[in-house]
Amino acid sequence: MTQAPAPPKVARRRHDREIIALAVPAFGALVAEPLFVLADSAIVGHLGTAQLAGLGVASALLTTAVSIFVFLAYATTAAVARRVGAGDLQAAIRQGMDGIWLALLLGAAVIAVVLPTAPALVDLFGASDTAAPYAVTYLRISSLGIPAMLVVLASTGVLRGLQDTKTPLYVAIGGFVANGVLNIGLVYGADLGIAGSAWGTVIAQCAMAAVYLFVVVRGAKRHGASLRPDAAGIRACAQAGAPLLVRTLSLRAILMIATAVAARLGDSDVAAHQIVLSLWSLLAFALDAIAIAGQAIIGRYLGANDPEGARAVCRRMVQWGVVSGVVLGLLVVLARPVFIPLFTSDGSVQDAALPALVVIALAQPICGIVFVLDGVLMGAGDGRYLAWAMIVTLAAFTPVALLVPTLGGGLTALWGAMTLMMAVRMLTLWLRSRSGHWIVTGATR
């Protein structure tokens, strides 16, 4: 006998509970991650300006290297969630193990590239003669922790797919505390300087990876899933992640172009751009938490052969995205007079940042829709469309952004171009969500 569908209000409450249960811990974990760099900066900053500058260059390189492989989390979440929805936990964890093995292989490859090329990479980022030696030291030591960082990404994807975002939150908090204690002890207690900061971060990341592996391996043994590397499974993970890699690279290109254009506008504008970009990134964490919930929930519904449930939760998450965007936009407008002085007392920088912040405040409802639909399509495993959509967005944004210095308007015009970029993303994602082509049910796409 077919079970009658739940009344709309009951269904919405159920979806709301699912979204909140996954999104709130995910937000905490997302916010905890950048605190690693902030803690390192606070500790190393007391060693001297050259050391802090070296840390800044090395951290930018490391962040770029790791963020490129964020597909390890996204693709794994979607694949694992589908198998959870299909009721096959053994296959779900087996899929997760394939992602972890791929993370280890990619991490080893990155180490092989970074260790010999560290001086050239630091020079490419324009480090000064005094900062470069510190940057090379930090980069070489920290690169040894990249396999652990990628294992953390893949393992986080496994747990999200299993509908668990609390464990990643606890691990992130523990890692942040351990990183701070180790940095203080090694930098000052052991007098290792910036090398101590790098080793502290490596140890903390390895400890986080070890905790994740313990959790995943325990689940694998409980459900009888093999822990051995499977070439076909690893290859499938790489193929699923390749389109998301293209998406991520295109997004990174957009951010790099925006910073390059801001630099051409003058020192005040580029300084204000960094302030605005930092707030934009913080707001993105809040919206990305809903997207992460979307990845896990949509994948589960599709794996359970419930297309109507997937459509319903998609609609509800879009509503969450719009409301969250409106609330965040209002907070930005209200917090402007307090937020900007935290970063600078320079009147010209403040004057450039204030109107740009109004632009990003107005853009937040658009951002809310974009992040949610991005998560929905990731959860559906629709990576190929996401890659093409981001390439289209990059092509639309680039000429508009490059014209800003010529046409005038300064930083406000540049962030108007960024808002246009988000509007193009919203259009491409909305068209895909309306088409229904992303709805492919079953344990695999």
Side-chain angles (χ1 to χ4, degrees):
M1 185 175 179
T2 304
Q3 186 177 1
K9 286 186 178 180
V10 174
R12 283 198 298 270
R13 291 194 190 107
R14 186 177 71 246
H15 295 324
D16 289 345
R17 286 195 297 269
E18 289 179 325
I19 294 167
I20 292 171
L22 292 172
V24 172
F27 174 70
L30 288 168
V31 171
E33 290 172 9
L35 292 179
F36 272 77
V37 177
L38 288 177
D40 288 359
S41 299
I43 294 167
V44 171
H46 291 286
L47 294 174
T49 302
Q51 289 91 331
L52 184 58
L55 172 66
V57 172
S59 294
L61 285 163
L62 286 167
T63 301
T64 299
V66 174
S67 66
I68 286 172
F69 299 112
V70 73
F71 70 84
L72 288 167
Y74 294 159
T76 304
T77 298
V80 171
R82 274 185 176 270
R83 286 160 176 79
V84 169
D88 192 347
L89 289 177
Q90 183 185 71
I93 297 177
R94 174 65 262 181
Q95 179 74 34
M97 286 304 306
D98 291 335
I100 290 172
W101 281 112
L102 176 61
L104 288 170
L105 292 173
L106 291 173
V110 173
I111 289 178
V113 171
V114 171
L115 284 179
T117 62
L121 291 171
V122 167
D123 184 62
L124 183 65
F125 265 60
S128 66
D129 291 339
T130 54
Y134 297 110
V136 170
T137 296
Y138 191 92
L139 181 59
R140 278 182 165 157
I141 295 173
S142 294
S143 68
L144 300 177
I146 287 179
M149 296 180 196
L150 299 189
V151 166
V152 167
L153 283 177
S155 301
T156 300
V158 176
L159 295 181
R160 288 174 181 170
L162 293 171
Q163 317 296 296
D164 176 10
T165 56
K166 290 183 179 179
T167 299
L169 172 61
Y170 301 147
V171 175
I173 293 173
F176 170 70
V177 173
N179 179 67
V181 172
L182 287 166
N183 268 258
I184 293 172
L186 294 174
V187 171
Y188 298 113
D191 199 25
L192 294 179
I194 195 169
S197 177
W199 280 116
T201 300
V202 169
I203 295 170
Q205 291 286 355
C206 289
M208 291 171 65
V211 172
Y212 274 120
L213 288 174
F214 172 78
V215 174
V216 174
V217 168
R218 184 180 60 184
K221 290 181 177 179
R222 184 186 306 127
H223 297 287
S226 173
L227 299 175
R228 295 180 179 179
D230 176 65
I234 294 172
R235 187 165 54 250
C237 285
Q239 290 171 346
L244 295 180
L245 175 61
V246 172
R247 168 199 169 276
T248 300
L249 290 174
S250 299
L251 181 57
R252 296 293 301 183
I254 287 170
L255 296 176
M256 289 176 65
I257 290 169
T259 300
V261 170
R264 292 175 61 188
L265 297 175
D267 290 346
S268 295
D269 284 296
V270 74
H273 174 71
Q274 290 305 116
I275 295 172
V276 177
L277 185 61
S278 66
L279 179 59
W280 191 74
S281 301
L282 178 63
L283 298 172
F285 285 133
L287 298 174
D288 203 25
I290 304 174
I292 287 170
Q295 293 171 31
I297 296 170
I298 291 293
R300 195 186 77 232
Y301 272 99
L302 294 177
N305 293 304
D306 186 358
E308 289 307 315
R311 286 191 183 93
V313 77
C314 174
R315 288 192 296 269
R316 190 57 177 166
M317 280 189 292
V318 168
Q319 294 169 0
W320 270 76
V322 172
V323 172
S324 299
V326 170
V327 171
L328 291 174
L330 290 173
L331 289 175
V332 170
V333 172
L334 294 173
R336 279 187 312 151
V338 178
F339 178 77
I340 296 178
L342 293 176
F343 290 84
T344 181
S345 57
D346 189 320
S348 62
V349 176
Q350 292 183 356
D351 290 341
L354 278 169
L357 286 179
V358 174
V359 174
I360 70 166
L362 295 173
Q364 286 311 296
I366 297 174
C367 295
I369 296 172
V370 167
F371 275 81
V372 165
L373 292 180
D374 206 40
V376 166
L377 297 185
M378 281 185 190
D382 203 8
R384 184 168 297 183
Y385 181 84
L386 288 171
W388 281 111
M390 190 59 76
I391 291 172
V392 169
T393 303
L394 173 61
F397 168 77
T398 302
V400 176
L402 294 179
L403 283 173
V404 167
T406 303
L407 298 179
L411 189 66
T412 304
L414 176 59
W415 276 93
M418 289 287 284
T419 301
L420 173 65
M421 177 270 294
M422 294 302 291
V424 172
R425 287 187 70 188
M426 182 180 70
L427 177 62
T428 58
L429 297 176
W430 177 78
L431 289 173
R432 186 64 167 181
S433 68
R434 286 294 300 270
S435 73
H437 294 316
W438 58 277
I439 300 177
V440 179
T441 58
T444 59
R445 183 176 172 85

